Structure formats: C-alpha cells, structure tokens
Amino acid sequence: MLASPPALADDFFDAVLALSASALLVYRPVRDAAGELVDFALTHCNPAARQLLHLAPAATPPFRAHVAAYAPHNGFDQLRDAFEAGRASGSLVLRYPVDGRAALFQTDVRRAGEALVVGLTPADTDTPPVPAYSSLVTGPLRSPAEESHFLYEVLAHAPVAVASLEGPDHVFTYLNPGYAKLLAGRPVLGLPVREALPDLNNQAFPGLLDQVYRTGEPYVGHEMLVQYDRTNTGRIEDTYFNFLYQATRDPAGRITGVILFAYDVTDTVTTRLQVQRLNGALQRTNQELEARVQARTQQVWQQTQRLERLVQEAPAAIALLQGPELTFELLNARYQALFPDRELLGRPVLEALPELRATPLADVLLGVYRTGQTYLGTEAPIPFAGADGQVQTRYFDFIYQPRFDADGGIDGLVLFGFEVSERVQRRLQTEALQAELLAAAERRVQERQDLIHLFEQAPAAVCLLRELDHRIDYFNATFARLFPGESLRGRLVGEAYPDAFGADVLDRLDRVYQTGNTYTGVEVPLPAAPHPDRPGLARYFNYTYQAYREQGRIVGVAVFLYDVTEQVLSRQQVQELHEELAAVNEELAATNEELLVSNEELLNSNTRLSRTNADLDTFVYTASHDLKAPITNIEGLLQVLREEATAGSWSDTAGHVLTLMQDAVERFRTTLGQLSEISRLQADAEAAAPVDVAAVVAGVELDLAPLQAVARAEVQVDVAACPTLRVPAKTLRSVVYNLLSNALKYRSAERVLVVQIRCWCEAGQAWLAVSDNGLGIDLTRQTELFGLFRRYHTHVEGSGVGLYMVRRMVEHAGGRIDVRSQLGEGSTFTVRFPLAG
C-alpha cells in the first residue's frame, strides 16, 4: 500500500506537469441544471500538450467547444461513458484542431476522482511529435487549495515516477505507482534513502539530494546513468533517467523535504549508443569492402583479358551479342572473315545481316534470348549475301548460348560456329550418287559392272553383302584401304572383320535384310580402322545399311561408310573451347557472387537511392521556384515593418503587413508539406490485396459530401463489371479522391454537374474512368497536365500537386492514366491497372 500523500506545495504539481514527456489534459465535468453531464472543462494542460496543440498559454477551451468545428461528435460520448463508469476507456482516436485543421490523435483516457485525464499521442503524420523533454515553464491554470487531493489522483495515473522525501535524511513518505514499479516491490516507505537504496550510496544521487535540501535550488538530470537492483533480484543493472529534484517548503518557507520526478530513458540511450557502435563498425566494414573490391576488380580484369585471348585464338567463329537488340559486342577474326566486306561491331545482328530475317534463325536467336535455352544447330543452311548482291547458301554446325549477368538475368548471347559446307556438299553428292547407284542396281542386273565402277569412284567406302548370312560380295578400294589385308570376297563379314562387324552390327544387318528399312549411324567411332597419319587416334564414320533388290526381292545389304573424322575432331575442339569458356564464366560468376554478398548493404542502399533520386531534379527546381516567392514576400514585408519602426509609429499598415507575413508563412509551410507528400511516394510499398471498388468509392463520397452538396452534383457509380481490384487500397482511394474532388471543384456554372464513375475489365486490364461535364481542359498543353505544381484554372483553390501524385501512384502500381477533354464540355480521366496486380 502506498502512503497517503504529504502536504506538498502546489508548484510541485506544476513541475510534474511541466516536465512530463507526455501531452496531458485534465478535464472536470460540466453539468446542466438537471445534473446531466453536458461538457468537460479544461482545468490543466501541460506544456507538452500546449506545444502539440499550438494552444496559447492562457487558453482553456471546453472540450466540445474546442473540437465542435472539426468533428461535432468527436468522442464526447466515449469520454462521458468513461467518466461515468469510473474506468479507463482504453485507446480512442480523437480529432483536435491544430493550426486551422483537424489532426488525429491516439488517446489514453482515465478517470481520477472528479477529473478525467487524457494523454495525447499524434496519429497524424503531419502533427509535430511531442518533444522528449520540455523546458517550457507555464503557470498553473488555477491552484486552489481544495484541489490538492484531485492533483494526487492525477499523479496516481501519471506515466512518470514520483516520490516525496522528508527531512535531511530524505525519508520516503510517498511514492506513486510509477516510482513503486521502478523499485520492483522493494519496501522503502519510512526509510531514509541511504538505507532504503544502498545501491546508490556510492553514486552521486544522495549528494545531489543533500545539495537540493541545503540550497533549495532544484536539480535537473538528463540521461544520467543509475546502477541499481531494478528487479529486486540482487543483480545490478545500468539504467538511464531524466529526473528532477525539487525542494518542498512549509507555509513559513522553510525547506521540509525533496520531491523526486523521474522518467526512464534507458531504451533511448542504449539505442543511440548501439547506433554509434554500429556506425563505427560500418565504417570499418566499408573500408575493408573497398580494398576487396579493388582486388577483385583487378582479378576480373585479368580474367577478362584471358577470355578475350581465348576467343580470338579459337578455331571456331565466335561472336558476343549484347542486349535485347542482339548487338555485336565482340567477334573474333574467324567470324569477321565470314563477312569480309561488312562492319559488324556495334550493329544489331538483324541489321548487319538482313538476309537472316527470312530464315528461322532470326526466331531462334530471339528465342534463346527470351527463354535462356541453349540451341545446337547441325549442318544448318545459312544464306550469305555477297558484295555483288548474290545470295550463297553455306552450312554450319553452331551453338547459340545465352549469357547471364551477375543477377542471373540474360544480357546477351554467345555464338559458336564451324563451317561444314564442304562436308555437307560431299555428303549430298554421295547421297545423290548412292541413290542413283541403288536405283540402277535394282533396275538391271546387267549394269552391275557399271555400278561397281561407280562404287570405285565414290568417296565413300562401299561393301555389298549377299543373302541372310551377309557374305561379302563386293567392296571398293576405299573400303579396302580402311581394312587392309587379303581378299575376303565370299567370306562371312562377321568372320572376316570381327572387330568392325560384331554381334550388334550383325543384328542391325539382319533387321535391314528382313524389313528393307534403311539404318543410318552418325559419327560412330570405329577402332578397327585407325587413322593412317595419327596412330592410336580413333576415326569417325557416318554409315548407312541399305537393302538392295534384284527383280523386286531383297538379296543383300549395301554398306556405305563416310569418313567424318576431321569434322568430328573440329567440333570436339569447339566443344572443348565451349567447356573452357563455360568454366571461365562459372569462375567469373562465383567471383561476382562473392562480390554481391560482400557488397549487399551497398547494393541495397544504391537500389533505394536510385528509386528516390528519380524526381530530385524536379524537387530542387520546385523548391527553388515555389519557395522563393514566399521568402521574397516576407523580406519585403519586413522592410515595411522596419520603416514603420524607424518612423517611431505603429500604424494600421503595420498590422496589415503582419497579416500578410502570416499568410506568406502559411503558403511556405503548405509548399513544404506538399513536397514532403511527394517524397513519400517513393517509399510507399503497400501489398496489393483485393480491394472492394464500390466500398472505396462510397468512402470517398462520404469524405467529399460537403463539397458535393455545395456543387449540387449528381454522382453516378457503375463498378459492377469489376467489383474488386488488386491495387494497394491507399493508391485506389487517393486516385478516386483526387479525380472526384477535381470534378467537383472545376464545375461549370452553366449546367448541373454530373459525374460518372465506371469500372470494367478489358484486354487483360482493369479500367477505371471518372467523367464530368465541367469546365474541361485545353489538351494542347497536355504535356504539362500531370506535372508538378501545374494548374489550368486559378479561380479555384488548389496547389497543382494532385494530378502529379495520381500519376506517380498509378505508375507505382504498374498502370497508366490518360485524359480526354474538351474546353467548355468536360473531361474524362481513364486509369488502367494490370489485372494481376
């Protein structure tokens, strides 16, 4: 139980209220003749509350008179219910006037005896915050002796710690709940400070109490460190306080004790100290990162030089294409040699090589850039336009590979190409010859000698096998060179060449003989036929097993072998180069990833700065232009006042000048507020949850009901075709509010104002249109319509900021805004949002 309050001086309560960090208002009930509670009279208002509400020092307005002009039903019923129920009403949102406008405040309302205590916290971002410590001094609104008990009731509910000490030994005679909470239940009443709180004996506080008791001078401490057992568990902790020690006196003026007022600011101090430590650590980290970035930059440069050398020395034609236009960024000498009469670097590929537009390769290039899937081309025909305009078709094996940036996005392509025109021509010639030879063999048996002659001239190795057991009937000289040895005609091919014609090959020959279906193999290594110039190196062949007939009956299988070793080895070299380049790219990617991890804080900061710097030029120009006029105006008015003062008189002109100066300051403050609103557009990032369009429009209509009534406007709403939108609710409300309020303000006096608000879905987008039959806009100046501080009608109050903010919010939501208007007929603003949000 707390002790009864001692007889304290009234200036103690003034000190408590003056030093309180919270904005506090104390009301007494006002009742009519029937005893009904009809209002609350303001009896105490501390400096923090006066500064927050901009109240004059002597102003004590009743509650309803104070707020009625801004919100007729602004919380009076809740305050009355809380008072009559004798309990705290919890948190309420009330509107109080601040500089001619209604500001929102979060309140904590409690009854204290026959008084109602209201604590205010700003809920409106434009309302100045309450300072952490106020040094303002104000006299009591009234201090009758009979209110002593009432003021102690206020202290019992105050958010600060208060205690009363008596005598030179500073004996505890009173402490409020806030002070008792600081002691965690430690019994101190009736004990001297040095005995009740031995933790403080080696600190400055007992000496300060002695000094205040001896001199009568109050002592104010700011963020002082107190080391004591705050949890009553025997553990000493560091705590920081703002506090006041003030002497109390008896009626004769003699000092009788000391009053303590304390406010815990530990969180504020420790947070500031942590920030200071973090700043030091961040500075050291930045220095380390800078050194690492320089080292990594040198390493990346060396790797880039190595990569460029590999590209230039590669046996393949290589080119690097940059960006969505696929512009030639780098190409080696082999690639440039394909187009000796053209300048390729710095030009988009389809502009430098227009003959590709009519081929599938144009779509393939764009498809690789779009999907990130590597494309392999084999013997692809590519048209080449010569200097004489003649188009020649050449054949290439090639690879189109996407190139990725450090963030994993595609920023270009890498092209590897190897010309195989000669191989393709030989193969086409051989295939044509093969078809001709087989056709001739099937037509007439008597042409066998001619057929054999053709086989001998063919560049392919040819072997004819007869009947089901595949007995060797014929082979040409090329075949004999592949498999040198004695004549094997008449023998089974599996016995004559067991290494080349094993069981799996014989199975394929059986199927061709039985079904008549041709079998083809591509680039198959054949160890049984070693390379004549490079022993131990495998040779590669394309081969065909094809049934041949006599008099319509299958009599055997023709074996055709085409040596493609050189082409395979060349492609393997290209592939090895590709793998080496891929390894280099992987190493570079790992290096970039390490740099990204090391510089994550810097990159995040740069990203945020790049989002907010987009409008800095506009802000600087606007600030210099729109703030210059009020300042110049104030300067001229001050000159007039100086002349008045020099003349030694104070005329009506001086009073008028003061009024003009106040108006200029208001315009100055308004412009600063508008710039602040615009800057906050960059930071808004509201989640795009479904929003009820009809509910948003209805809410805006309620807010604009007074203006709509003055305009006598008819507002028609049709949003059934698109009832919800995935747009941030704040964005949608601001768009509707600005467009509807503009329609109401810029109405024509010649006709009844009709405003239509419609919403529908079309072409994958949500359309929101606001139409009116008002004054209209001259669209020849449309380029300035959505600019900052641009206005077209000056006879109506406005700042030229609304449409600029609407455009910015719509673009932030991924949409766009358009306008159609005719002077004297009206305007239609159309906003389009993506349906996906």
Side-chain angles (χ1 to χ4, degrees):
M1 294 295 291
L2 300 180
S4 299
L8 304 177
D10 290 339
D11 56 359
F12 160 70
F13 302 106
D14 296 336
V16 171
L17 290 174
L19 293 174
S20 174
S22 300
L24 299 177
L25 303 173
V26 181
Y27 291 101
R28 279 192 177 276
V30 176
R31 302 182 183 275
D32 59 12
E36 182 179 355
L37 199 159
V38 295
D39 203 348
F40 287 98
L42 181 63
T43 61
H44 290 79
C45 179
N46 73 341
R50 291 190 179 278
Q51 182 173 343
L52 184 64
L53 298 178
H54 295 187
L55 278 178
T60 57
F63 177 80
R64 300 185 77 169
H66 192 191
V67 305
Y70 299 93
H73 305 289
N74 184 23
F76 173 73
D77 293 340
Q78 293 93 325
L79 294 183
R80 180 187 58 200
D81 294 343
F83 180 83
E84 292 182 345
R87 57 174 173 78
S89 67
S91 179
L92 297 176
V93 176
L94 300 179
R95 291 182 183 271
Y96 276 87
V98 178
D99 292 336
R101 67 179 185 85
L104 289 175
F105 292 91
Q106 196 77 24
T107 66
D108 185 24
V109 181
R110 300 174 182 273
R111 179 171 178 174
E114 285 300 308
L116 193 66
V117 183
V118 178
L120 299 180
T121 302
D124 189 332
T125 56
D126 289 339
T127 302
V130 182
Y133 176 79
S134 175
S135 61
L136 298 176
V137 178
T138 180
L141 297 179
R142 57 178 182 174
S143 55
E146 63 270 20
E147 290 194 358
S148 177
H149 181 75
F150 154 70
L151 292 176
Y152 274 101
E153 289 292 334
V154 174
L155 289 181
H157 297 83
V160 294
V162 182
S164 174
L165 307 178
E166 188 174 291
D169 293 332
H170 314 304
V171 176
F172 279 101
T173 59
Y174 168 77
L175 60 156
N176 75 341
Y179 201 95
K181 182 177 180 181
L182 294 179
L183 300 180
R186 192 186 308 189
V188 298
L189 288 175
L191 298 177
V193 164
R194 288 179 173 81
E195 179 181 345
L197 302 175
D199 323 12
L200 306 182
N201 288 341
N202 293 327
Q203 301 178 52
F205 305 102
L208 293 175
L209 288 171
D210 293 340
Q211 174 183 324
V212 172
Y213 185 85
R214 183 177 66 257
T215 65
E217 295 294 329
Y219 183 86
V220 177
H222 179 66
E223 294 184 356
M224 289 193 66
L225 173 64
V226 182
Q227 296 177 315
Y228 80 107
D229 180 9
R230 66 178 298 168
T231 59
N232 199 16
T233 59
R235 183 164 58 92
I236 301 299
E237 299 182 32
D238 290 348
T239 309
Y240 294 87
F241 286 94
N242 289 343
F243 63 88
L244 167 70
Y245 290 169
Q246 179 168 319
T248 59
R249 301 175 184 270
D250 60 16
R254 292 185 297 272
I255 297 175
T256 60
V258 179
I259 292 297
L260 284 69
F261 169 82
Y263 186 76
D264 189 342
V265 293
T266 302
D267 291 342
T268 301
V269 175
T270 55
T271 299
R272 186 177 66 251
L273 295 176
Q274 290 174 357
V275 170
Q276 292 172 352
R277 289 193 294 271
L278 288 175
N279 285 338
L282 180 59
Q283 184 176 5
R284 292 191 296 274
T285 301
N286 285 339
Q287 293 172 350
E288 295 173 0
L289 287 176
E290 184 176 358
R292 294 179 63 183
V293 167
Q294 292 176 354
R296 291 299 185 188
T297 301
Q298 178 65 21
Q299 182 179 2
V300 170
W301 180 83
Q302 294 173 350
Q303 292 171 341
T304 302
Q305 293 296 105
R306 177 187 173 195
L307 176 61
E308 184 173 351
R309 185 173 62 256
L310 289 173
V311 169
Q312 292 298 336
E313 297 175 356
I318 301 176
L320 303 182
L321 305 182
Q322 175 69 29
E325 296 295 326
L326 302 181
T327 301
F328 280 105
E329 180 184 12
L330 175 68
L331 60 158
N332 66 356
R334 289 182 181 271
Y335 198 98
Q336 181 64 66
L338 297 175
F339 309 94
D341 57 342
R342 303 195 198 185
E343 185 67 32
L344 302 180
L345 284 176
R347 301 178 63 190
V349 63
L350 295 181
E351 175 186 320
L353 307 175
E355 56 266 36
L356 296 183
R357 294 181 184 274
T359 72
L361 294 180
D363 293 335
V364 171
L365 283 167
L366 297 175
V368 173
Y369 183 84
R370 184 177 62 256
T371 65
Q373 298 295 322
T374 299
Y375 183 84
L376 303 177
T378 303
E379 296 182 356
I382 300 178
F384 283 75
D388 56 359
Q390 298 296 321
V391 177
Q392 175 189 8
T393 299
R394 297 159 71 175
Y395 296 86
F396 288 82
D397 289 343
F398 61 85
I399 300 174
Y400 292 167
Q401 178 180 343
R403 188 178 67 180
F404 298 92
D405 59 21
D407 296 327
I410 300 174
D411 66 355
L413 301 183
V414 182
L415 310 185
F416 299 88
F418 188 85
E419 185 170 5
V420 294
S421 298
E422 184 178 351
R423 183 187 76 192
V424 172
Q425 294 295 341
R426 287 202 307 268
R427 180 175 56 77
L428 294 176
Q429 293 172 1
T430 302
E431 290 175 354
L433 178 60
Q434 173 187 337
E436 182 180 349
L437 291 175
L438 289 176
E442 291 179 353
R443 285 195 304 269
R444 284 178 295 206
V445 176
Q446 61 267 26
E447 296 178 356
R448 177 179 178 82
Q449 292 302 323
D450 295 334
L451 180 62
I452 291 175
H453 179 70
L454 290 174
F455 283 158
E456 291 296 333
Q457 300 299 319
V462 181
C463 180
L464 300 181
L465 306 177
R466 298 284 293 187
E467 302 304 334
L468 181 59
D469 55 359
H470 313 307
R471 194 173 303 275
I472 299 174
D473 185 43
Y474 166 82
F475 54 85
N476 66 356
T478 304
F479 189 92
R481 287 193 294 272
L482 290 177
F483 305 102
E486 61 181 356
S487 176
L488 299 175
R489 285 186 175 88
R491 294 184 60 182
L492 301 181
V493 70
E495 296 175 354
Y497 306 107
D499 294 332
F501 293 81
D504 57 335
V505 176
L506 294 176
D507 288 341
R508 297 189 189 104
L509 293 172
D510 290 341
R511 287 196 295 273
V512 172
Y513 186 89
Q514 293 166 3
T515 64
N517 297 328
T518 299
Y519 185 88
T520 300
V522 179
E523 298 180 352
V524 178
L526 191 58
H531 199 285
D533 301 325
R534 288 176 279 183
L537 181 65
R539 297 174 72 180
Y540 295 82
F541 293 83
N542 291 346
Y543 65 90
T544 302
Y545 301 157
Q546 183 170 345
Y548 66 92
R549 295 172 172 80
E550 294 177 0
Q551 297 179 351
R553 184 182 72 86
I554 296 176
V555 296
V557 177
V559 177
F560 299 86
L561 298 173
Y562 313 95
D563 190 349
V564 293
T565 301
E566 296 302 321
Q567 293 89 331
V568 171
L569 293 180
S570 297
R571 190 179 65 257
Q572 288 177 347
Q573 290 177 350
V574 173
Q575 182 63 30
E576 290 172 359
L577 174 62
H578 169 66
E579 292 175 356
E580 185 174 2
L581 290 174
V584 172
N585 284 334
E586 184 176 356
E587 184 178 358
L588 288 174
T591 301
N592 288 334
E593 182 177 358
E594 183 177 356
L595 286 174
L596 288 173
V597 172
S598 301
N599 291 300
E600 181 175 357
E601 285 191 42
L602 295 177
L603 291 176
N604 289 338
S605 298
N606 287 337
T607 300
R608 290 191 296 271
L609 287 174
S610 64
R611 291 176 180 171
T612 56
N613 282 341
D615 295 324
L616 280 180
D617 289 341
T618 302
F619 287 166
V620 170
Y621 171 78
T622 301
S624 63
H625 179 272
D626 290 273
L627 300 181
K628 186 186 297 181
I631 293 174
T632 303
N633 192 13
I634 292 174
E635 183 179 18
L637 296 174
L638 285 174
Q639 181 61 34
V640 174
L641 289 180
R642 186 178 294 111
E643 293 174 358
E644 288 284 326
T646 303
S649 62
W650 194 261
S651 64
D652 293 340
T653 300
H656 178 65
V657 167
L658 286 176
T659 301
L660 295 178
M661 290 179 65
Q662 182 64 36
D663 293 342
V665 170
E666 285 299 320
R667 290 193 299 274
F668 189 82
R669 183 184 293 109
T670 299
T671 302
L672 288 177
Q674 292 165 348
L675 290 177
S676 177
E677 285 295 326
I678 293 169
S679 66
R680 280 199 296 273
L681 285 176
Q682 297 293 338
D684 288 344
E686 186 177 352
V691 179
D692 188 332
V693 180
V696 171
V697 174
V700 171
E701 283 193 88
L702 287 176
D703 292 342
L704 295 176
L707 182 56
Q708 182 177 345
V710 171
R712 298 182 179 178
E714 177 185 350
V715 179
Q716 302 172 354
V717 180
D718 181 10
V719 297
C722 188
T724 61
L725 290 179
R726 282 192 173 272
V727 178
K730 180 178 179 181
T731 295
L732 182 59
R733 185 190 182 284
S734 296
V735 169
V736 175
Y737 185 94
N738 276 278
L739 296 181
L740 180 54
S741 63
N742 281 351
L744 295 174
K745 288 192 293 185
Y746 300 114
R747 59 188 180 275
S748 173
E750 299 177 357
R751 52 187 170 272
V752 175
L753 176 62
V754 177
V755 183
Q756 294 181 330
I757 302 176
R758 297 177 295 125
C759 187
W760 70 95
C761 298
E762 179 182 329
Q765 293 180 312
W767 297 62
L768 176 67
V770 178
S771 304
D772 65 68
N773 60 345
L775 295 175
I777 303 170
D778 181 4
L779 290 187
T780 60
R781 301 165 60 195
Q782 186 177 356
T783 56
E784 303 178 359
L785 178 59
F786 295 102
L788 188 60
F789 297 108
R790 303 297 185 185
R791 300 193 61 203
Y792 289 84
H793 301 287
T794 58
H795 68 286
V796 177
E797 180 182 356
S799 61
V801 174
L803 287 180
Y804 172 82
M805 294 180 65
V806 167
R807 177 177 67 85
R808 293 293 306 190
M809 287 185 289
V810 169
E811 290 176 351
H812 279 213
R816 60 172 293 179
I817 181 170
D818 299 298
V819 61
R820 290 184 294 104
S821 184
Q822 183 69 38
L823 276 176
E825 295 184 6
S827 305
T828 297
F829 287 84
T830 304
V831 180
R832 284 178 278 177
F833 293 109
L835 285 178

